[in-house]
Amino acid sequence: KYYEKTKNTEEYYKKYLTFNQKDYLCWNDLGVVYREQKDYKEALKAFEKAKSGLPENSEIWVNIGLTYQEMDDFTQALLSFENAIKFDAKSFKAWFYRGCLIYDKLKDEEKGLKCFEKVVSLEPTFYKAWHRIGKHYQDKGEEHKSVHCYKKATELAPSIPDVWIGLAKVYHVLNKFTPAISSYKTYLELEPKDKDSWKALGDCYYETLEYELLIEAYKNALDEIENSY
């Protein structure tokens, strides 16, 4: 298809759609472009066009929900995610975004958690859901449950800093200093300017009596503090 061979821009999609008005997935893609530009009015128009031809397409409903969420219209966003699930109960992205909305915006943590658990049952390789579950248990002080989830996330997404710092902090709280050190070091390879994590790494070296490494970690923390001014 023409639009698949061109850049992901409004201009190319609109040119293609001039001759292919019934390519409803392309209308969906155009809506995503508008949403990324924060032109929500045009995004919703494009998604409505896509939905007119594919009313039971869950991906389109998810995109509509994300648009409403960015507009802070959480009622319509939730309804859209629930429509996506109605038409495809195995849409793990619909379950995930529904969970994020319920957990973060509607402040129903338990209901949001159930959505994240549903996600990993449908798609065990979706690291973002494992990360969210791990963060939930970390915040609740249930570190042993949190470790399992963060470890899954690090296995699935080893290049994502957030999963490593989450795992490091949980090990640190559990006084498991050797795996905490390993996790902090991996995180700091990805985010070397995080002064607080250099300090935390030094604290762990203090507990393991590795004083030369402690001094090096604290020095890095001080260097980053100086560089921040």
Side-chain angles (χ1 to χ4, degrees), residues 177 181-182 185 198-218:
F177 299 113
I181 288 169
S182 178
K185 287 172 66 177
W198 281 115
K199 167 66 165 57
L201 176 61
D203 293 344
C204 289
Y205 282 134
Y206 175 82
E207 299 294 341
T208 58
L209 310 180
E210 297 175 87
Y211 298 122
E212 290 185 4
L213 293 174
L214 175 155
I215 292 169
E216 181 182 346
Y218 283 169

Side-chain angles (χ1 to χ4, degrees), residues 177-191:
F177 299 113
T178 298
I181 288 169
S182 178
S183 299
Y184 277 127
K185 287 172 66 177
T186 301
Y187 169 75
L188 285 163
E189 288 175 0
L190 299 167
E191 294 287 344

